[in-house]
Amino acid sequence: MVEPTRVIGRSVGAVGWLVALNGRHAGRDSRLGRSTRIGRDSLRNDIILDDPAVSAEHARIRMERGHFVLYDLASTNGTFVNRQRTQKQTLMDGDEIRIGRSVFVFKEVRR
């Protein structure tokens, strides 16, 4: 049996994305880059949420030391992970994120 080729001695990181659970984008997924901004302003964000409960620049998800970390950007109505308001949270596969009225599930695959 032939085994697949593997990289040895080097971490290739993780791939992450958000899957919308509600609203007009339900079921749609957004792949996360090294830094992904989320908010209402279409000129300053990668994921745009047309919702008056969402700040112009509401949250950011960054890749830090091989993990995705969510930051609330001093939003008016807060950012929630698993129903807990948070300022900064390292994300785990399956975490539920609420921003305004939008709810997402965070998905991650380690490579």
Side-chain angles (χ1 to χ4, degrees):
M1 177 194 253
V2 177
E3 289 189 39
T5 303
R6 294 181 305 177
V7 176
I8 298 174
R10 188 178 79 155
S11 172
V12 291
V15 176
W17 63 96
L18 297 180
V19 178
L21 297 180
N22 67 343
R24 66 183 172 139
H25 299 294
R28 187 176 300 168
D29 61 79
S30 299
R31 185 161 177 176
L32 301 173
R34 295 206 58 71
S35 182
T36 303
R37 289 187 173 266
I38 304 165
R40 200 175 62 244
D41 188 321
S42 63
L43 298 176
R44 296 186 277 180
N45 295 288
D46 305 296
I47 299 173
I48 294 95
L49 302 176
D50 186 22
D51 176 351
V54 174
S55 296
E57 291 181 88
H58 196 102
R60 178 179 64 211
I61 299 176
R62 290 183 46 192
M63 172 63 81
E64 296 180 1
R65 297 184 192 130
H67 298 281
F68 288 96
V69 181
L70 173 79
Y71 292 88
D72 179 83
L73 300 177
S75 66
T76 302
N77 295 311
T79 301
F80 297 80
V81 175
N82 300 322
R83 301 180 184 190
Q84 298 290 320
R85 189 171 182 153
T86 187
Q87 294 296 313
K88 177 183 176 184
Q89 177 72 45
T90 299
L91 297 173
M92 305 287 288
D93 184 60
D95 279 347
E96 184 181 280
I97 299 167
R98 183 170 58 82
I99 297 173
R101 293 179 298 213
S102 297
V103 180
F104 302 90
V105 65
F106 170 73
K107 300 303 294 175
E108 178 180 42
V109 175
R110 295 212 159 270
R111 300 191 282 171

